[in-house]
Amino acid sequence: MEGNEKEQRRLLHFVIVGGGPTGVEWSAELHDYINQDLSKIYPHLASHVSITLFDVGDRLLSSFDQRLGQYTSKKFSRDGITVRTQTPVTSVGEKVLTVGDGENVEYGMLVWSTGLAPNPFIKALESQVTLDHSKRVVTDSCLRVLQPGSSEPYPNIYALGDCSTISGQEHPATAQVAMQKGKYLATSLNALPKHASPFQYKHLGSMAYVGG
């Protein structure tokens, strides 16, 4: 292995799929760890390391202000992190991934930080509840699950967290949304039979580490 430079470069090619906060932060932390720590321990391998970040969208951090996404791309470019937007990953093998145009990319380690398939339990409820285009359970403003094809909620069935969304509203799938919904629902249930006021989300800010 010591003399096989091609294999060393493959093994030291780190690929991250997903340009949201998780993928961006992982790329930045990895870059810092390699350059600030590992390069001192393994200086002879430092030049073989490469990091590539793939995203299907047209920019990084799409849930943030556009200027922040542009800044991150420029920062990563200066740091030597390759950013490939508008590049869907179509398949992943043990050592190679394939992108939309059929290109094969060899890698040593891959981190998947993009969307997941719907939860099987939620998928099994498809005929009994209303689901949106992302296969999330749709609720009214009081977090009550809507009946299929209707704006009428089930009276005593509630949903919150990443598996659900409020009809006519679009909140990010983050912990602060789920926590606020949880506190709201606990308060509402404890106040029964008094009717609760609609849930109101208060955005407390978002951040993503993009490197030192």
Side-chain angles (χ1 to χ4, degrees), residues 66-76 78 210:
Q66 184 174 356
R67 292 170 296 179
L68 295 176
Q70 293 171 345
Y71 170 82
T72 301
S73 294
K74 292 178 181 178
K75 172 72 165 56
F76 278 9
R78 292 196 302 268
V210 299

Side-chain angles (χ1 to χ4, degrees), residues 14 21 25 39 52 73 85 105 116 126 128 146 148 164-165 183:
F14 298 89
E25 290 192 340
S39 61
T52 304
S73 294
T85 53
V105 180
L116 302 173
E126 190 163 6
Q128 303 173 60
L146 298 185
S164 69
T165 185
K183 291 179 180 179

Side-chain angles (χ1 to χ4, degrees), residues 157-183:
I157 304 177
Y158 302 86
L160 58 88
D162 293 359
C163 72
S164 69
T165 185
I166 297 176
S167 178
Q169 301 183 34
E170 189 64 39
H171 298 136
T174 58
Q176 62 174 308
V177 176
M179 289 178 65
Q180 289 183 37
K181 283 185 175 181
K183 291 179 180 179

Side-chain angles (χ1 to χ4, degrees), residues 58-62 64-71:
D58 59 358
R59 65 183 179 90
L60 301 180
L61 299 175
S62 59
F64 287 64
D65 185 276
Q66 184 174 356
R67 292 170 296 179
L68 295 176
Q70 293 171 345
Y71 170 82

Side-chain angles (χ1 to χ4, degrees), residues 137-147 151-159 165-166 184-185 195-196:
V137 176
V138 181
T139 72
D140 67 2
S141 58
C142 295
L143 308 188
R144 296 174 298 185
V145 174
L146 298 185
Q147 299 180 37
S151 59
E152 290 297 316
Y154 288 106
N156 297 309
I157 304 177
Y158 302 86
T165 185
I166 297 176
Y184 163 85
L185 186 56
H195 182 69

Side-chain angles (χ1 to χ4, degrees), residues 117-131 135-137 148 154 163:
N119 185 287
F121 174 71
I122 301 301
K123 192 173 182 180
L125 297 176
E126 190 163 6
S127 64
Q128 303 173 60
V129 301
T130 297
L131 301 181
K135 301 300 181 182
R136 295 175 297 182
V137 176
Y154 288 106
C163 72

